[in-house]
């Protein structure tokens, strides 16, 4: 299992206080993939640039797709730019992959046989590993989960730091990207409200 898949699994936890936004999750998944690629030696980080490392191809197909998308020649891509590019619809890609692997299943909500189908986690070893990693307080997973609003009751003082400077840089960039996305959402809400008020008139 990868950090990205573990993050997706815990984001689906029905015990979560609030649903995780797909845009926020997609950005965090892209960051988790970078950390997985770092751990595998597939990339390195030079300042805020993503630089290709070894030629090893990850076994995980989503991670392999991420590795294939790394910019091989200078100028290399900034971490922030990678998050926005790779993160586009990434949560949906992980959902599709986990459904295909039998990690997620769909069931109908409500009593009607033609009602909408909801996705839920299957009790698999992968799910148990992800939950155990979260409960053990893995600092990287905890930091990424915090970025998307999971474990929001924890204070910054309670949250363990990832430790490694490069990992900290990636995680911090994820937090900044999620905040930027929220600012865009708020701006659009204000603009839409103002537009509606113009049409409504006095």
């Amino acid at each position: 299992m990868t950090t990205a898949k573990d993050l997706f699994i815990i984001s689906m936890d029905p015990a979560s206080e609030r649903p995780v936004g797909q845009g926020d999750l997609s950005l965090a998944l892209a960051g988790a993939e970078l950390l997985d690629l770092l751990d595998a030696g597939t990339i390195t980080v030079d300042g805020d640039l993503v630089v290709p490392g070894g030629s090893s191809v990850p076994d995980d197909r989503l991670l392999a797709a991420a590795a294939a998308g790394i910019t091989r020649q200078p100028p290399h891509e900034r971490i922030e730019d990678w998050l926005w590019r790779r993160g586009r619809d990434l949560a949906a890609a992980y959902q599709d992959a986990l459904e295909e692997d039998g990690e997620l299943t769909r069931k109908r909500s409500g009593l009607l046989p033609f009602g909408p189908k909801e996705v839920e986690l299957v009790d698999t070893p992968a799910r148990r590993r992800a939950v155990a990693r979260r409960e053990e307080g893995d600092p990287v997973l905890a930091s990424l989960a915090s970025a998307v609003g999971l474990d929001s009751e924890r204070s910054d003082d309670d949250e363990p730091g990832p430790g490694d400077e490069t990992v900290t840089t990636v995680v911090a960039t994820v937090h900044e990207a999620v905040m930027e996305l929220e600012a865009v959402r708020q701006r659009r809400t204000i603009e839409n409200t103002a537009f509606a008020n113009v049409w409504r008139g006095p």
Side-chain angles (χ1 to χ4, degrees):
M1 287 295 288
T2 66
T3 298
K5 281 190 176 177
D6 287 346
L7 177 62
F8 184 88
I9 287 172
I10 67 171
S11 76
M12 295 285 295
D13 188 346
S16 298
E17 292 182 2
R18 64 182 181 85
V20 177
Q22 292 296 293
D24 297 352
L25 181 57
S26 291
L27 288 169
L29 288 170
E33 287 184 337
L34 272 187
L35 296 178
D36 287 327
L37 293 174
L38 269 169
D39 190 53
T42 308
I43 64 164
T44 60
V45 170
D46 181 8
D48 67 343
L49 299 177
V50 180
V51 180
S55 58
S56 61
V57 178
D59 293 333
D60 181 88
R61 67 181 183 277
L62 283 168
L63 209 53
I70 297 294
T71 302
R72 297 287 164 186
Q73 302 297 327
H76 297 299
E77 198 168 25
R78 295 169 61 240
I79 295 172
E80 180 182 4
D81 295 334
W82 159 270
L83 296 180
W84 289 105
R85 180 175 64 81
R86 174 63 183 167
R88 187 180 298 275
D89 298 325
L90 192 55
Y94 270 83
Q95 178 174 318
D96 291 343
L98 266 66
E99 281 190 67
E100 185 177 330
D101 293 343
E103 302 284 347
L104 292 174
T105 186
R106 289 181 178 268
K107 71 169 188 176
R108 295 203 180 277
S109 60
L111 301 176
L112 298 176
F114 48 82
K117 288 186 176 181
E118 293 181 346
V119 178
E120 66 177 17
L121 289 166
V122 177
D123 186 20
T124 62
R127 179 186 183 182
R128 291 192 288 272
R129 282 195 301 270
V131 171
R133 185 177 176 187
R134 181 185 189 185
E135 291 176 346
E136 289 165 3
D138 179 278
V140 173
L141 189 61
S143 297
L144 291 168
S146 174
V148 297
L150 297 170
D151 297 331
S152 57
E153 72 278 1
R154 299 172 60 164
S155 69
D156 291 339
D157 293 335
D158 293 334
E159 184 177 324
D164 180 86
E165 183 179 349
T166 301
V167 175
T168 302
T169 298
V170 173
V171 171
T173 308
V174 170
H175 277 260
E176 291 168 2
V178 170
M179 287 190 293
E180 183 179 342
L181 181 59
E182 178 59 27
V184 170
R185 288 195 196 103
Q186 292 180 4
R187 187 164 61 248
R188 285 178 178 172
T189 298
I190 292 170
E191 290 171 352
N192 290 339
T193 300
F195 183 76
N197 287 339
V198 168
W199 279 99
R200 192 177 297 119

